[in-house]
Amino acid sequence: MRSLDIAATGMIAQQRNVEVVSNNLANMNTTAFTRRRTEFHDLLYQNLRRVGSTSSNAGTVVPSGVQLGLGVKLAAVYRIHEQGNLTATDNTFDLAVQGKGLFEITLPTGEAAYSRDGTFQLNANGEIVTHDGYPLQPGITVPDNAVDVTINAAGEVLVKIEGQVNLSNVGQIQLTTFPNEPGLEAIGDNLYLETPASGNPTSGNPADTDFGSILQGFLETSNVNAVEEISNLISAQRAYEMNSKVIQTSDEMMGTLNQLR
Amino acid sequence: MNALEIASRGMMAQQVNVEIVANNLANMNTTAYVRRSAEFQDLVYNNISRPDTSGSKAGALVPGGIQAGHGVRVAGITLNNEQGSLKATGNPFDLAVQGGGYFEISLPSGDPAYTRDGTFQLNAAGELVTHDGYPLSQGIVVPAGTSDVTINLTGEVWVKIAGQVDLANVGQIQLFSFINPAALEAQGNNMFTATTGSGEASPGVPGGAGYGSIQQGYVESSNINPIREVASMVAAQRAYEMNSKVVKAADEMLAPSK
């Protein structure tokens, strides 16, 4: 009874669908979260009668054959890197990227991670760090006698030091781009790692050609669309139920078979 | 006792029917999946009394004769290539075909495969590839430094390269059509290959005569209609049960002779 196994692949696939939707909805208010979409592919086919084979010596061809499909599989869960909305926070170290590019963060292991979540803070040494205390790369230190910090669209960090007339430039924030951003590996904490699929990172100054610009006092919201997610959730649940009906039917058919003797 | 054999063939055929429904429902949310349906044929006949033999000297013909059937078999499973509905995703590399035609994918073996699943992505070299990393056969490469990609209805890929005023055309996506797309051989992974029955693939520009247009930011949903599937599942189950009754009756008829 293949239909039991086939319907089971369908139920498993729809369960994954609901899991992806629930993760999207759970991260609706996560800074710079990119929504995920599930992509399903059909599984392999059993050729009971091969399509295109000749059905007689006169050269007549079987027009459609008997190809029995064996279910469905989850082919990919891919991220859709659309720009999220910007929301004003007025916090000095909340930075949003408008356009392409990710911030580079140095993990405690020394490895580079990338993020579009620009909610930075200062640590005890005045360094710009993430909420986990991981420093921005290249490292920028704000002197402790600074009264005001301005970060402009090009990523220059300008500080007003008490008693000085001119602002002084204490660093340059850089952005990193990849040939294929959806190919980055998500490791949680709004961080991504480089993979062979993402391609090599290219660093540059914000607002240069090919790089987005920095907006101080803003954050990028997630690009989750609640309406789309809810409609996906409904269709996944109904598909799950219909597959369970197939299992029930297969079970009843086997019951019929058992009653024969 | 032919009835046993005949009814068991009927049960097997209805089992295949349910398996097809199971596969259709399992692929309800599979991109560009087309629904399958079973074609049944009657098996050979035993001529106990051939129709049109003469019943008498006067040349009176037997009007119906006696032809005893031997059951049923699955003759074909056909693809019903109706357009599925389009669903917006907002991803620039999700392409749906509205109308006829398939994308051509280069398999690792170098052979072409055809698909209507246009959920492409870029690889590390900027090439347009499927979720398995197989490239589109036209080899479209989105150059580094691209800030925006627009793919129009006729399959032209326009990119906005930072620092340049005009959009640059980096390639033309082609579609491929078949004389009989219902005879394509399904390979799984949403891909098909050409067969003798389908005929050769003929390339064309999207939007041209006989070819659909490309819709960027959309995917084609499967064309499964749940009502039809559930109805045919109910019918198949009942037919299965009725055939089982025949098996039971045949068994009971045999019983005294045991």
Side-chain angles (χ1 to χ4, degrees), chain A residues 185-226:
Chain A
E185 180 190 351
I187 55 167
D189 296 328
N190 295 354
L191 297 176
Y192 298 106
L193 294 182
E194 182 192 338
T195 69
S198 67
N200 294 325
T202 316
S203 293
N205 291 343
D208 276 3
T209 50
D210 195 26
F211 292 93
S213 53
I214 303 271
L215 279 165
Q216 189 183 19
F218 285 87
L219 282 181
E220 186 180 352
T221 61
S222 76
N223 62 10
V224 175
N225 179 341

Side-chain angles (χ1 to χ4, degrees), chain A residues 1-4 6-7 9-11 13-14 17 35 37-45 47-53 61-73 75-82 100 179-180 182 195-200 208-211 228 231-232 235-236 238-239 242-243 245-250 252-254 256-257 259-261, chain B residues 11 14-16 18-31 33 36 39 41 73-79 87-92 94 117 119-126 131-132 144-147 162-163 180 182-192 195-198 219 226-227 230 233-234 236-238 240-241 243-245 247-248 251 258:
Chain A
M1 210 68 166
R2 296 187 194 90
S3 48
L4 264 180
I6 296 169
T9 67
M11 287 181 80
Q14 296 311 328
N17 204 350
R35 68 175 189 270
R37 183 179 173 271
T38 42
E39 165 72 5
F40 295 111
H41 282 179
D42 46 359
L43 268 179
L44 69 160
Y45 286 80
N47 268 309
L48 303 185
R49 187 182 191 195
R50 181 165 284 276
V51 51
S53 54
V61 168
V62 174
S64 60
V66 179
Q67 282 200 294
L68 207 56
L70 294 184
V72 64
K73 72 169 183 185
V77 176
Y78 62 97
R79 291 192 299 275
I80 296 179
H81 283 256
E82 251 184 336
K100 272 178 85 176
N180 176 27
T195 69
S198 67
N200 294 325
D208 276 3
T209 50
D210 195 26
F211 292 93
E228 191 185 319
S231 69
N232 284 347
S235 103
R238 291 305 174 199
M242 277 175 225
N243 279 293
K245 290 279 179 229
V246 175
I247 291 191
Q248 211 175 326
T249 306
S250 311
E252 284 166 14
M253 283 167 71
M254 285 194 285
T256 307
L257 198 56
Q259 282 161 19
L260 282 179
R261 281 302 291 167
Chain B
M11 288 177 80
Q14 295 310 325
Q15 192 172 319
V16 170
V18 170
E19 281 159 6
I20 293 165
V21 171
N23 195 48
N24 283 344
L25 286 177
N27 283 293
M28 231 171 105
N29 286 338
T30 299
T31 308
Y33 177 83
R36 269 72 166 173
E39 289 301 327
Q41 276 180 353
R73 67 167 188 148
V74 186
I77 296 179
T78 44
L79 299 172
K87 200 171 157 222
T89 63
N91 189 23
D94 283 346
D117 173 4
T119 57
F120 295 105
Q121 304 213 297
L122 295 184
N123 66 10
H131 286 288
D132 296 311
T146 297
S147 58
N180 175 23
L184 289 169
E185 183 177 350
Q187 298 292 337
N189 294 327
N190 295 356
M191 286 190 286
F192 295 97
T195 65
T196 324
S198 68
V219 294
I227 302 169
V230 171
M233 183 166 69
V234 171
Q237 190 191 358
R238 291 304 172 204
Y240 186 86
E241 283 172 10
N243 278 296
S244 85
K245 293 277 181 230
V247 172
K248 224 177 201 170
D251 180 37
K258 263 189 223 163

Side-chain angles (χ1 to χ4, degrees), chain A residues 121-215:
Chain A
Q121 304 206 309
L122 294 184
N123 67 7
N125 305 326
E127 269 180 297
I128 297 183
V129 295
T130 67
H131 282 288
D132 295 313
Y134 305 159
L136 187 67
Q137 177 65 31
I140 292 163
T141 307
V142 175
D144 53 5
N145 53 355
V147 287
D148 216 358
V149 178
T150 304
I151 298 165
N152 64 17
E156 287 171 329
V157 184
L158 304 166
V159 298
K160 164 85 175 136
I161 291 171
E162 198 143 10
Q164 289 185 2
V165 177
N166 292 327
L167 298 179
S168 50
N169 185 337
V170 296
Q172 166 75 55
I173 293 174
Q174 288 201 319
L175 290 177
T176 307
T177 60
F178 291 88
N180 176 27
E181 260 185 51
L184 292 167
E185 180 190 351
I187 55 167
D189 296 328
N190 295 354
L191 297 176
Y192 298 106
L193 294 182
E194 182 192 338
T195 69
S198 67
N200 294 325
T202 316
S203 293
N205 291 343
D208 276 3
T209 50
D210 195 26
F211 292 93
S213 53
I214 303 271
L215 279 165

Side-chain angles (χ1 to χ4, degrees), chain B:
Chain B
M1 204 68 175
N2 278 341
L4 261 180
E5 271 295 309
I6 296 170
S8 67
R9 286 212 187 93
M11 288 177 80
M12 282 182 232
Q14 295 310 325
Q15 192 172 319
V16 170
N17 212 350
V18 170
E19 281 159 6
I20 293 165
V21 171
N23 195 48
N24 283 344
L25 286 177
N27 283 293
M28 231 171 105
N29 286 338
T30 299
T31 308
Y33 177 83
V34 289
R35 94 191 139 79
R36 269 72 166 173
S37 55
E39 289 301 327
F40 295 109
Q41 276 180 353
D42 47 357
L43 274 178
V44 282
Y45 286 85
N46 242 3
N47 278 311
I48 296 169
S49 162
R50 181 170 285 279
D52 286 350
T53 49
S54 51
S56 72
K57 253 194 225 163
L61 297 181
V62 173
I66 302 174
Q67 285 198 295
H70 278 280
V72 65
R73 67 167 188 148
V74 186
I77 296 179
T78 44
L79 299 172
N80 298 277
N81 290 307
E82 284 161 48
Q83 172 83 46
S85 55
L86 300 189
K87 200 171 157 222
T89 63
N91 189 23
F93 300 114
D94 283 346
L95 308 178
V97 182
Q98 194 169 27
Y102 293 79
F103 296 106
E104 190 181 69
I105 309 296
S106 295
L107 296 178
S109 62
D111 293 328
Y114 301 90
T115 184
R116 281 178 68 91
D117 173 4
T119 57
F120 295 105
Q121 304 213 297
L122 295 184
N123 66 10
E127 217 179 340
L128 219 52
V129 296
T130 68
H131 286 288
D132 296 311
Y134 305 159
L136 200 63
S137 71
Q138 291 95 53
I140 311 274
V141 177
V142 174
T146 297
S147 58
D148 230 344
V149 178
T150 303
I151 298 165
N152 64 17
L153 293 179
T154 54
E156 287 171 327
V157 184
W158 294 92
V159 297
K160 166 85 175 113
I161 295 173
Q164 291 185 3
V165 177
D166 293 330
L167 296 180
N169 186 339
V170 296
Q172 164 77 53
I173 294 175
Q174 285 189 316
L175 290 178
F176 293 75
S177 71
F178 295 92
I179 293 171
N180 175 23
L184 289 169
E185 183 177 350
Q187 298 292 337
N189 294 327
N190 295 356
M191 286 190 286
F192 295 97
T193 50
T195 65
T196 324
S198 68
E200 291 284 312
S202 56
V205 173
Y211 296 91
S213 55
I214 304 270
Q215 302 284 338
Q216 189 185 18
Y218 287 86
V219 294
E220 185 181 351
S221 313
S222 75
N223 62 7
I224 301 297
N225 179 343
I227 302 169
R228 181 157 40 203
E229 298 304 328
V230 171
S232 70
M233 183 166 69
V234 171
Q237 190 191 358
R238 291 304 172 204
Y240 186 86
E241 283 172 10
M242 281 177 232
N243 278 296
S244 85
K245 293 277 181 230
V246 176
V247 172
K248 224 177 201 170
D251 180 37
E252 281 160 12
M253 283 161 75
L254 282 171
S257 65
K258 263 189 223 163

